[in-house]
Amino acid sequence: MRRFVLLDRDGTLNVERHYVSDPDQLELLPGAARGLASLSRMGLGLAVLTNQSAVGRGLFGQECLDRVHERLRQLLAPHGIELDGIFCCPHAPETGCRCRKPRPGLVEAAAAQLGFRPEEAFVIGDKACDIDLGRAVGATTLLVRTGYGAQAALDPAVAPDYVVDDLWEAAQVIGGIVGSEDTVQPAG
């Protein structure tokens, strides 16, 4: 069974901006494409799990969010990266839905659709909710210092398995865990 890397979007893959509604606002973080390409070469599946409450709050619609996600795929494609899925919670926090991170609904949906065991996954994010989600499903957790991650790393209540600077460093850690030779590629 293929192992998966479950990635937060804003602040982990792309520059953190308050409610990205315009595809042109989407900008990959340094190291993101390189890290994802490395993870892909390791044979790991890649899925994005993202809370997008702006839809539930009526700030923009699902069609707008779909355009942003299409732009994300377009930005990754030149690097040879294909996401296996993007799973989104569009609900406002007060709805109490099961899919809003750190609740496990997004992981359960991804695991059912993509066929992986959550406890064998890696969860990467920049916030406590990402780490709490990973811990709740028994996954290995990595906190990136991008986005809100540097601040989250200072909070003793946030207890990831690993703290890394960015997705490239996360790929190196994961490569060491899965025993991939891809972790020794030179920078460039």
Side-chain angles (χ1 to χ4, degrees):
M1 186 173 278
R2 188 173 180 208
R3 292 181 82 174
F4 268 76
V5 179
L6 309 176
L7 301 137
D8 174 52
R9 192 188 84 181
D10 301 323
T12 300
L13 286 175
N14 56 274
V15 174
E16 176 69 44
R17 291 194 168 90
H18 192 65
Y19 298 131
V20 176
S21 60
D22 181 345
D24 291 335
Q25 292 175 314
L26 206 63
E27 177 185 352
L28 293 178
L29 284 163
R34 187 171 172 224
L36 291 179
S38 179
L39 293 166
S40 184
R41 285 190 301 270
M42 291 177 208
L44 299 167
L46 303 173
V48 173
L49 309 181
T50 181
N51 288 342
Q52 294 297 320
S53 68
V55 175
R57 296 170 195 255
L59 300 177
F60 54 82
Q62 184 65 47
E63 305 80 27
C64 180
L65 184 60
D66 291 343
R67 286 192 301 276
V68 169
H69 288 156
E70 180 55 33
R71 178 67 181 144
L72 176 61
R73 290 180 189 280
Q74 291 170 355
L75 290 172
L76 296 174
H79 303 280
I81 302 161
E82 288 187 37
L83 298 173
D84 293 280
I86 299 176
F87 298 84
C88 176
C89 170
H91 307 111
E94 59 273 8
T95 64
C97 66
R98 184 164 173 75
C99 61
R100 185 169 178 80
K101 295 186 289 182
R103 293 182 191 96
L106 290 178
V107 172
E108 292 166 352
Q113 183 175 325
L114 302 172
F116 66 87
R117 292 187 186 105
E119 65 274 11
E120 293 180 359
F122 300 93
V123 174
I124 305 175
D126 69 319
K127 295 180 186 158
C129 68
D130 301 309
I131 303 309
D132 291 346
L133 169 66
R135 291 175 57 199
V137 299
T140 301
T141 58
L142 296 94
L143 178 73
V144 290
R145 288 190 184 98
T146 52
Y148 294 108
Q151 181 181 356
L154 300 174
D155 184 346
V158 180
D161 295 304
Y162 301 92
V163 177
V164 296
D165 286 334
D166 57 20
L167 279 178
W168 169 244
E169 190 177 338
Q172 299 303 289
V173 169
I174 292 170
I177 293 169
V178 301
S180 172
E181 293 181 16
D182 196 68
T183 60
V184 295
Q185 290 204 1

